[in-house]
Amino acid sequence: MSAVRDSLDKAAAALHLRSDKPADAAEGTPVYIDEAAGSDTTGDGSESAPFATAVAALLARGPDVALHTRRPASDAAPSAWQPISASGNKKARKLYEQQVKKREKAATREEEEARRPRDDDEDQRLEAAKAVVLPAVDGGKKIKIRSAIGSRDQQVRVSGWVHRLRSQKGLIFIILRDGTGYLQVVLGGDCAKTYDALTLTLESTIEVVGTIKALPEGKSAPDNHELAADWWRCIGKAPGGDEAFLNRVAEGTEMSKLADSRHLVIRGETASSVLKVRAAVLRAFRAEFDALGLLEVTPPCMVQTQVEGGSTLFKFDYYGQEAYLTQSSQLYLETCLPSLGDVFCVQESFRAEKSHTRRHLSEYTHLEAELGFLTFEDLLAHLEQIICGTLERVLADPASASMIKQLNPDFAFPSRPFRRMDYKEAIKWLNEHSILTDEGKEHVVGDDIAEAAERRMTDALNVPIFLTGFPREIKSFYMKRVPGDEHFTESVDVLMPGVGEIVGGSMRMSDPDELLQAYKNEGIDAKPYHWYTDQRKYGTCEHGGYGLGVERFLAWLTNRYTVREASLYPRWTGRCTP
């Protein structure tokens, strides 16, 4: 045990020595991390054997190292090592400090346990508790916790998971969770003397029969009431000790381990609140689309045509033919306009981008819409309405509004109209504010503005932005050119503070000859797209649409650091479990 204590003392001393240094200091021995190819068990921090995570590198090599991560390969540059970002470095060192403190507490607890004499009285009490048997209770209206307020002063039967647990003067207080809400349960008398009561653990499942009573003024509990138990039983006891729930998902646990335990993480109040807000947002989007007269359709996810470029396609064998997971449902939505009118879909999209940014996923929920007989200004007005109208609906619901307030206390409803900024104006703004490209150069017209620069601009302006008029070379083949300025497109990205782009949209080419030339310019064989080209052949119209990333929208609304927190089971480069 003394060896453990010495190791922790050294780690704590190292932390103290560094306390006056900035969190983003890049000094000391280089240590390499690669989330996709590294390993926290076999890695040693070298370029050939990197760690998978920054916190594991710090725990293994100490805080006085310079963390380097691998920059993903792109069309512009090959993969290369680079210092970890300031925000990533700061977060890693915060997690490192938490882990050191956690280990120190565990070592202290082990020492205390080793010194503590065997408690014979406790053993006798547990043995005696096995003889306490509660008589069965019939009746009790079976309810979900969401119905508890309307069931006060009645005998009810409730089942759920033990969310929180504490003992006090012969009473056991439980916060019970069933997914629909939280309910305080009080075990007293013989109910608190059974063996199951004395050994109850967090996340055990129980059934309780009792009466729900409003709490007197001065006391507090969820919904200001509690259930006084007449009878209860343990349905499934969760483990304690090293396998206890809080040891699996403790604060400061390394991120990859939390991803492995995502099935447990979503039981937490924060994670479950984000997912409940997600459900409320999707309901509100559907309601707003319905109010605007758009019809929901369900396009296929298995396709043989591309939308956003071949480099990000997930390929698979489809009965001997090459096929892909869809990048976007847009082309299919366009075919619906003549028969179904304006349409939308909520569908999964897949992008094989080897990107490790906090706003990228390999699988994400794509909310897409296509509208006919409109102008570019009509499209922008529609986007404002669908975003603001959806937010109004979400915030009108007290439950979702309360969760958003807890998750993002500083959320400010966006003012209308959104700021309009032309792409060329954005290039000028970035250069005027000395925000450089990833290669350390000034931006020039034609650049595909990188995520970091775009986010810095958006955060500085701190308002929703319609960034419009992108060069045709960096946008998809089907986007309509700006009349009189053919090198640019009638396109828009909606940028939100803290996240950056949440929507990409444009007007679509309506002329069949222009579309055929666009195929040719991109080196795309037009034959597989005959069904798409026919939309211009058999009657055409000015039309446009967009795709909104639901996880990015939620990350902005709920103030999440990464879009991974806004997905039930997020998938990103190298992660396809659990």
Side-chain angles (χ1 to χ4, degrees):
M1 187 60 68
S2 60
V4 174
R5 176 65 60 197
D6 290 343
S7 175
L8 289 167
D9 287 343
K10 289 178 182 178
L15 283 172
H16 177 73
L17 289 172
R18 287 183 58 85
S19 62
D20 60 340
K21 297 183 181 180
D24 59 348
E27 53 188 65
T29 305
V31 173
Y32 300 92
I33 55 176
D34 187 334
E35 185 175 343
S39 170
D40 288 342
T41 55
T42 62
D44 59 16
S46 63
E47 291 187 52
S48 59
F51 291 103
T53 61
V55 70
L58 293 173
L59 288 169
R61 300 291 295 275
D64 295 308
V65 295
L67 299 175
H68 287 67
T69 186
R70 188 182 292 280
R71 182 186 68 202
S74 67
D75 294 338
S79 175
W81 294 106
Q82 62 183 9
I84 193 172
S85 68
S87 60
N89 197 36
K90 183 177 180 181
K91 186 174 183 180
R93 293 182 188 278
K94 181 180 178 182
L95 289 172
Y96 168 74
E97 292 179 24
Q98 291 173 342
Q99 285 288 345
V100 169
K101 291 175 183 176
K102 178 183 173 183
R103 291 184 179 187
E104 189 171 21
K105 287 181 181 179
T108 300
R109 192 162 54 244
E110 287 180 20
E111 288 179 351
E112 291 174 350
E113 289 290 339
R115 290 195 299 267
R116 185 180 299 157
R118 183 174 178 82
D119 191 341
D120 292 332
D121 289 343
E122 178 67 13
D123 288 346
Q124 291 175 10
R125 190 163 73 102
L126 289 175
E127 194 62 32
K130 294 178 181 179
V132 178
V133 179
L134 301 176
V137 174
D138 294 328
K141 181 177 70 171
K142 188 175 181 180
I143 66 166
K144 294 287 187 181
I145 292 175
R146 64 170 177 260
S147 305
I149 291 178
S151 302
R152 287 179 179 176
D153 300 318
Q154 304 175 40
Q155 189 179 61
V156 297
R157 185 178 296 263
V158 185
S159 300
W161 286 259
V162 176
H163 187 67
R164 287 199 288 274
L165 178 67
R166 64 183 175 90
S167 299
Q168 180 181 326
K169 297 179 180 179
L171 298 174
I172 297 176
F173 293 87
I174 298 167
I175 299 297
L176 195 66
R177 180 192 77 242
D178 71 351
T180 72
Y182 299 88
L183 174 66
Q184 179 162 288
V185 174
V186 182
L187 305 182
D190 284 348
C191 285
K193 296 176 182 178
T194 66
Y195 181 81
D196 281 341
L198 299 181
T199 59
L200 192 60
T201 51
L202 292 180
E203 294 304 313
S204 295
T205 45
I206 64 173
E207 180 184 14
V208 189
V209 176
T211 304
I212 299 174
K213 293 287 186 180
L215 286 174
E217 195 169 337
K219 292 190 176 183
S220 63
D223 291 327
N224 294 312
H225 58 208
E226 65 184 16
L227 187 153
D230 299 322
W231 173 90
W232 78 284
R233 70 184 178 102
C234 183
I235 299 170
K237 185 168 288 185
D242 291 341
E243 281 294 299
F245 177 78
L246 288 183
N247 288 336
R248 294 284 299 275
V249 295
E251 183 180 355
T253 299
E254 198 277 311
M255 292 302 293
S256 68
K257 291 183 179 177
L258 287 178
D260 289 337
S261 297
R262 180 68 178 167
H263 58 292
L264 299 179
V265 170
I266 60 176
R267 299 185 182 200
E269 290 177 40
T270 297
S272 62
S273 291
V274 171
L275 294 174
K276 288 174 182 177
V277 171
R278 177 188 172 103
V281 163
L282 288 173
R283 282 197 304 271
F285 266 122
R286 285 186 162 101
E288 187 65 21
F289 276 126
D290 186 60
L292 294 174
L294 278 75
L295 184 73
E296 183 170 9
V297 294
T298 309
C301 285
M302 297 186 292
V303 300
Q304 290 185 302
T305 50
Q306 66 187 49
V307 181
E308 301 294 339
S311 64
T312 64
L313 286 166
F314 280 110
K315 297 181 182 180
F316 66 95
D317 180 88
Y318 188 73
Y319 303 107
Q321 301 177 59
E322 189 174 79
Y324 318 104
L325 295 177
T326 186
Q327 301 164 312
S328 166
S329 298
Q330 174 208 316
L331 306 190
Y332 293 97
L333 293 182
E334 288 188 51
T335 69
C336 298
L337 294 177
S339 58
L340 302 176
D342 298 341
V343 291
F344 78 97
C345 71
V346 182
Q347 196 85 317
E348 297 305 287
S349 284
F350 306 85
R351 301 283 173 90
E353 291 179 278
K354 293 183 178 179
S355 179
H356 294 279
T357 75
R358 55 192 175 101
R359 70 177 195 180
H360 278 91
L361 291 168
S362 297
E363 176 188 6
Y364 65 98
T365 302
H366 209 176
L367 192 153
E368 299 182 86
E370 287 293 320
L371 303 97
F373 301 101
L374 82 168
T375 66
F376 187 51
E377 281 301 316
D378 292 336
L379 179 62
L380 299 185
H382 168 85
L383 280 168
E384 276 188 351
Q385 179 57 42
I386 197 65
I387 290 171
C388 294
T390 295
L391 288 172
E392 287 169 353
R393 292 175 186 274
V394 172
L395 295 174
D397 176 54
S400 54
S402 174
M403 286 185 284
I404 291 169
K405 183 67 176 176
Q406 289 180 326
L407 293 164
N408 188 4
D410 299 324
F411 176 73
F413 196 95
S415 59
R416 301 167 72 174
F418 293 177
R419 175 167 179 166
R420 265 70 162 169
M421 177 181 274
D422 182 76
Y423 165 86
K424 286 173 278 190
E425 180 188 348
I427 293 292
K428 181 180 178 182
W429 191 98
L430 291 168
N431 290 334
E432 287 175 346
H433 292 80
S434 301
I435 298 175
L436 304 178
T437 67
D438 286 346
E439 291 73 35
K441 301 176 182 178
E442 281 201 342
H443 288 83
V444 297
V445 172
D447 283 347
D448 191 358
I449 301 172
E451 175 206 356
E454 179 185 84
R455 194 167 64 239
R456 286 182 64 187
M457 179 182 72
T458 309
D459 290 351
L461 295 172
N462 199 33
V463 292
I465 300 169
F466 280 149
L467 185 57
T468 62
F470 291 89
R472 68 184 187 187
E473 291 81 8
I474 64 173
K475 285 297 183 179
S476 297
F477 68 91
Y478 50 76
M479 291 191 178
K480 183 179 177 62
R481 311 294 188 239
V482 174
D485 197 358
E486 302 295 326
H487 289 291
F488 297 89
T489 57
E490 288 193 327
S491 54
V492 59
D493 283 356
V494 182
L495 312 180
M496 289 295 186
V499 179
E501 180 194 348
I502 66 167
V503 178
S506 76
M507 296 298 289
R508 320 308 193 188
M509 290 179 178
S510 56
D511 181 80
D513 293 332
E514 184 182 17
L515 182 60
L516 288 170
Q517 185 61 43
Y519 293 141
K520 187 175 181 180
N521 292 342
E522 294 294 324
I524 297 173
D525 182 2
K527 290 181 181 178
Y529 293 84
H530 67 91
W531 53 275
Y532 182 65
T533 311
D534 277 353
Q535 296 307 117
R536 285 81 179 160
K537 182 179 178 181
Y538 292 93
T540 188
C541 71
E542 293 297 317
H543 63 288
Y546 56 90
L548 178 147
V550 172
E551 288 80 8
R552 291 187 184 183
F553 184 91
L554 282 161
W556 164 67
L557 177 61
T558 62
N559 192 32
R560 297 301 92 194
Y561 176 76
T562 169
V563 293
R564 298 173 187 178
E565 296 180 59
S567 175
L568 180 61
Y569 285 96
R571 301 297 190 235
W572 67 89
T573 307
R575 166 69 62 175
C576 198
T577 58

